[in-house]
């Protein structure tokens, strides 16, 4: 059989990076991400371990070289390590990198296994170093577990990048301290603007903090030099002279980053979203559960390349405005 073509969209962007959500469930309830009483998907709708593995292999055969597993919280899925091991076997056989985005509450338990399976880098989401604030923001008192997870990751030889959502009136005052702490620990840090995805209890505009303002404040304190570092992702990077670390800024709302987009996202139910900020979607679960899974998957991925939009269009600008998209970030995994 001839090998199917690599994934290239109608704007000639080569798609080489898959973010695969393995569950929509989570053990935290970060206030900007989901409501306390979040409705999760029925388990039968979620892809099985075998389906996720076949999907990953199908993508790797179409030139995906980097896979990030995400969620919800990926480490709450029971057969997660079996999946990591199965996909990890493709490292060096089409796959260059397998990574994970996690809240780290269970990282202490899995750090060594992740490394053994071929994972070398993890992104950890952490918005505050204050235990009470953490408990308020995530609605769970889990900061000690997260810090234990980070220590275990370091000890296991995993390279860590911290992702912090910058939130007005919540962690705004703490950002310099988080930068210092992360760089002191040897972790890169990326700051993210909150995005209008899915209904939550409050109004996100109350906590929306444009990173241009944060950058200015950090620049009055430290020397930020634009860095050549590129990941093909939306972040712009800076070297911070005084801390010796690297700082990334993801500014989806103030700075559009779509021209260089190399990624697609698949939810835990096998819905491929061609853009984080759009509704263009292809049902890969239907392809996987058809009588010709391999052929249907190839066709579905070709469709995805035709419908991937040129750019996203979301904005947070009006009080009381409905979220730009009904689905929560925990569906597509960020
Ligand atoms: N549970 C894992 C975690 O928190 O790392 C993985 C999934 S989580 C949805 C992925 C990332 O999305 C986290 O860094 C989180 O802070 C971010 N996130 C969630 N909702 C967001 C929103 N509305 N705007 C911006 N970032 C968001
Ligand atoms: Fe869970 Fe991650 Fe959403 Fe927080 S950001 S509620 S850890 S999925």
């Amino acid at each position: 059989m001839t090998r199917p073509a690599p994934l290239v969209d109608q704007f000639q962007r080569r798609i080489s990076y898959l973010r695969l959500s393995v569950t929509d469930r989570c053990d935290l309830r970060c206030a900007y991400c989901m409501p306390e009483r979040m409705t999760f998907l029925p388990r039968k709708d979620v892809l099985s371990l075998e389906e996720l593995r076949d999907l990953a292999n199908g993508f790797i055969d179409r030139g995906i070289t980097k896979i990030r597993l995400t969620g919800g919280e990926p480490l709450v899925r029971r057969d997660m390590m079996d999946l990591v091991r199965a996909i990890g076997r493709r490292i060096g056989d089409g796959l260059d990198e397998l990574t994970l985005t996690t809240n780290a509450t269970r990282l202490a338990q899995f750090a060594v296994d992740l490394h053994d399976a071929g994972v070398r880098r993890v992104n950890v989401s952490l918005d505050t170093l204050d235990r009470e604030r953490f408990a308020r923001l995530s609605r769970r008192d889990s900061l000690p577990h997260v810090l234990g997870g980070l220590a275990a990751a370091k000890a296991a030889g995993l390279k860590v990048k911290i992702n912090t959502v910058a939130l007005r009136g919540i962690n705004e005052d703490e950002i310099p301290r988080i930068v210092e702490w992360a760089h002191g620990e040897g972790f890169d840090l990326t700051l993210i603007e909150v995005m209008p995805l899915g209904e939550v209890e409050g109004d996100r505009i109350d906590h929306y903090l444009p990173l241009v303002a944060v950058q200015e404040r950090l620049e009055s304190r430290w020397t930020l030099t634009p860095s050549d570092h590129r990941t093909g992702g939306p972040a712009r990077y800076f070297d911070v002279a005084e801390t010796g670390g690297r700082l990334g800024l993801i500014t989806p709302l103030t700075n559009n980053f779509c021209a260089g987009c190399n990624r697609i996202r698949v939810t835990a139910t096998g819905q491929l979203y061609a853009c984080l900020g759009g509704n263009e979607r292809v049902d890969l679960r239907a392809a996987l559960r058809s009588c010709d899974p391999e052929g249907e998957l190839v066709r579905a991925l070709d469709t995805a390349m035709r419908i991937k939009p040129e750019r996203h269009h979301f904005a947070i600008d009006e009080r009381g405005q409905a979220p730009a998209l009904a689905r929560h970030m925990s569906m597509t995994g960020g």
Side-chain angles (χ1 to χ4, degrees), residues 26-30 32-34 71-73 103 125 330:
C26 190
D27 53 347
L28 301 183
R29 292 287 182 282
C30 304
Y32 56 80
C33 178
M34 58 172 81
E73 173 46 41
N103 63 26
S125 308
S330 54

Side-chain angles (χ1 to χ4, degrees), residues 19 21 23 25-28 30-34 69-75 100-104 123-127 162-167 190 192-198 200 204 252 276 316 327-334:
R19 299 174 71 107
S21 174
T23 178
R25 286 163 199 264
C26 190
D27 53 347
L28 301 183
C30 304
Y32 56 80
C33 178
M34 58 172 81
L69 302 174
T70 177
E73 173 46 41
L75 294 177
L100 184 79
T101 297
T102 173
N103 63 26
N123 284 3
V124 171
S125 308
L126 181 57
D127 303 320
I162 304 289
N163 285 334
T164 301
V165 179
L167 298 160
T190 294
I192 305 172
E193 285 173 352
V194 72
M195 294 175 229
L197 297 174
V200 290
R204 284 195 186 86
L276 176 64
I316 293 188
R327 66 173 190 275
H328 291 88
M329 190 75 113
S330 54
M331 289 267 297
T332 39

Side-chain angles (χ1 to χ4, degrees), residues 196-231:
L197 297 174
E199 289 287 355
V200 290
E201 274 97 354
D203 193 328
R204 284 195 186 86
I205 198 166
D206 292 337
H207 302 299
Y208 171 54
L209 178 59
L211 288 184
V212 273
V214 177
Q215 185 179 339
E216 274 171 20
R217 233 170 298 145
L218 294 178
E219 277 173 335
S220 68
R221 188 181 181 116
W222 292 319
T223 319
L224 268 56
T225 314
S227 151
D228 292 339
H229 184 69
R230 293 279 174 281
T231 60

Side-chain angles (χ1 to χ4, degrees), residues 120-135:
R120 292 292 174 269
R121 298 193 303 150
V122 291
N123 284 3
V124 171
S125 308
L126 181 57
D127 303 320
T128 176
L129 293 168
D130 180 277
R131 186 167 175 175
E132 264 178 43
R133 254 187 207 185
F134 185 100

